[in-house]
Amino acid sequence: MYFDPRPKTSRGDLFDREAEVEAVKALRAPITLVLGLRRSGKSSVILVAASELSHPVVYIDARKFEAEPYLTFKHVSEALGEALAQPMRRFPKLGDYLKHIKGISVAGFEVKISWRERGSLAEILEALNRWADDTGKKAVVVIDEAQELVKLRGYDMLKLLAYSYDNLRNVHFIMSGSKMGLLKKFLRLEDAESPLYGRYMEAVELRPFTPEEARLFLEEGCRQHGVDPPDAERVYRAVGGLPGWLTYFGYTYVSVRNEEESIRRTISYAIELIRQEFAHFLEGRWAAERRYQVIMETAAECAAWSELKRAVEAAEGRHINDSEITRLVRNLVDYGFLEKRGDMYCPPDPLISTAFRRGRR
């Protein structure tokens, strides 16, 4: 069902992302990046692609780390151990390739990785590569919302990725990111000293639905539930083209059967969620909290950098260094709250605009 609010796992429940699913399944490069705004359907595309692959998929949802102020090797090793259980149920002989690695305990389909054995992650990837080579398959490691790993301390994940890229021909990584600037900062793709510098990565970008795609999505979703579709143009103007918001609208609409009430509930839900995400972003940034708030409220309907600077200075009644404003704006762009359009900074999602316009009142 298109209006199921949970991530989709079968193609029949996923609307109009066939090309993106096929691009992910193709595994054209050792690392595939799935990029898009929050609620653009990245997890659904990856899960559908994974369900159709004949290869073992080790799926790590890094969103579980979102509330953590920083990450350690222990976080990563525990998450990988948990993620290995699912492919081992489908390919039980994988366990035979893992159980002889120092620091790895395999019991049935349960894998535990000692956080003291830092070399074990490379050995696990080597074991997956050997298994894949022996069986004529590939091993796929998915890290959903991989930008959360930018908080990892004391372990260089990029060196591990580079080692796998160069040496393990049967191991492929799929990494998604909604905070696209942060994901690129984590991977350091433009840093000549980064272990991954110069490596080609396949990029699959999920864009919001166009008005016509949104209309078809709403009509088909309503048909699945046997209800008349709403005024799609009005819905699109209110909530935009992100599949997540349109899905929430549709889920509500087939329940209450009232277009205006469904729009109201969707906007209310979206604003609350966006404000929670912004509050999470501000954690550890309390000294600049007011500045970030002023910038977002000023940019709610797009603003030039100079306007943002003037607004912050007016709020504090003093001069602020250009470099400080640039740093704040860059952070908001990295985390997906703003994007640059020509000379203007704008929220990438119309409901982010709505949330911060209302915040001004």
Side-chain angles (χ1 to χ4, degrees):
M1 291 292 189
Y2 291 162
F3 293 162
D4 187 337
R6 296 166 296 187
K8 310 302 188 291
T9 56
S10 66
R11 194 181 289 243
D13 292 329
L14 186 64
F15 176 81
D16 196 36
R17 295 295 198 196
E18 287 83 2
E20 291 85 351
V21 170
E22 291 303 321
V24 172
K25 287 173 59 180
L27 301 174
R28 295 189 186 101
I31 298 177
T32 298
L33 303 180
V34 182
L35 306 172
L37 298 173
R38 298 177 184 90
R39 290 165 284 274
S40 60
K42 298 181 301 301
S43 295
S44 291
V45 165
I46 290 173
L47 289 170
V48 169
S51 74
E52 297 180 0
L53 287 172
S54 61
H55 314 298
V57 177
V58 181
Y59 180 89
I60 299 171
D61 189 347
R63 286 175 297 183
K64 69 189 296 181
F65 303 137
E66 198 167 15
E68 301 288 346
Y70 65 92
L71 300 178
T72 65
F73 180 80
K74 184 177 181 181
H75 289 100
V76 175
S77 61
E78 288 177 351
L80 178 58
E82 293 170 2
L84 282 165
Q86 186 62 34
M88 284 179 56
R89 289 187 175 90
R90 185 178 174 191
F91 303 95
K93 295 240 177 241
L94 270 175
D96 294 338
Y97 287 75
L98 297 172
K99 63 185 179 182
H100 299 298
I101 299 173
K102 184 180 179 181
I104 305 296
S105 171
V106 179
F109 298 128
E110 183 178 358
V111 179
K112 291 187 178 180
I113 303 171
S114 170
W115 59 271
R116 295 180 176 87
E117 297 293 338
R118 306 222 166 179
S120 60
L121 296 195
E123 292 184 66
I124 288 171
L125 295 181
E126 289 169 345
L128 292 174
N129 188 66
R130 285 195 301 273
W131 175 89
D133 197 41
D134 290 346
T135 58
K137 292 186 177 293
K138 298 177 181 179
V140 181
V141 179
V142 174
I143 308 177
D144 208 350
E145 299 296 353
Q147 74 276 340
E148 295 301 324
L149 297 182
V150 78
K151 298 184 289 188
L152 183 59
R153 303 290 182 264
Y155 185 81
D156 193 341
M157 182 65 73
L158 298 191
K159 288 183 178 179
L160 179 68
L161 293 172
Y163 171 74
S164 178
Y165 190 109
D166 292 343
N167 298 285
L168 307 181
R169 303 292 170 158
N170 303 306
V171 176
H172 291 257
F173 282 86
I174 298 171
M175 293 187 283
S176 80
S178 56
K179 302 163 188 173
M180 289 183 278
L182 199 60
L183 177 59
K184 292 175 181 177
K185 183 179 291 185
F186 163 61
L187 295 173
R188 294 167 54 203
L189 299 180
E190 298 176 359
D191 181 353
E193 296 184 0
S194 168
L196 290 173
Y197 181 73
R199 302 320 198 272
Y200 171 76
M201 299 182 188
E202 183 78 5
V204 180
E205 186 166 357
L206 275 63
R207 302 186 181 279
F209 289 156
T210 65
E212 177 62 14
E213 290 167 340
R215 180 185 67 79
L216 291 172
F217 172 77
L218 292 171
E219 288 179 354
E220 287 297 309
C222 287
R223 182 187 58 77
Q224 290 174 345
H225 289 273
V227 301
D228 292 332
D231 180 343
E233 185 178 343
R234 183 187 179 204
V235 175
Y236 190 87
R237 287 198 306 269
V239 307
L242 284 176
W245 300 140
L246 290 167
T247 298
Y248 188 87
F249 168 85
Y251 179 75
T252 305
Y253 179 72
V254 298
S255 175
V256 302
R257 309 292 177 95
N258 182 288
E259 181 179 306
E260 184 174 351
E261 175 63 13
S262 298
I263 289 175
R264 186 195 69 77
R265 290 191 187 186
T266 302
I267 292 174
S268 177
Y269 169 75
I271 288 173
E272 179 62 26
L273 190 56
I274 289 165
R275 287 178 177 170
Q276 287 178 13
E277 291 169 347
F278 191 64
H280 175 67
F281 164 78
L282 291 175
E283 291 175 4
R285 297 182 171 90
W286 304 120
E289 177 179 359
R290 179 56 184 153
R291 291 179 179 180
Y292 281 121
Q293 187 73 35
V294 169
I295 289 171
M296 287 304 303
E297 291 176 1
T298 305
E301 305 203 34
C302 296
W305 182 93
S306 57
E307 295 176 79
L308 302 178
K309 184 176 190 293
R310 285 197 298 271
V312 174
E313 290 179 334
E316 297 191 13
R318 64 191 184 93
H319 171 75
I320 308 293
N321 288 334
D322 289 1
S323 60
E324 172 63 7
I325 301 299
T326 297
R327 183 184 68 83
L328 299 174
V329 172
R330 185 184 298 119
N331 284 341
L332 290 166
V333 171
D334 284 348
Y335 277 79
F337 290 105
L338 292 177
E339 66 179 6
K340 193 172 184 183
R341 301 176 190 167
D343 294 330
M344 306 295 282
Y345 289 92
C346 312
D349 172 2
L351 287 178
I352 295 179
S353 297
T354 302
F356 285 95
R357 280 200 307 271
R358 295 193 175 189
R360 256 189 332 230
R361 297 174 184 175

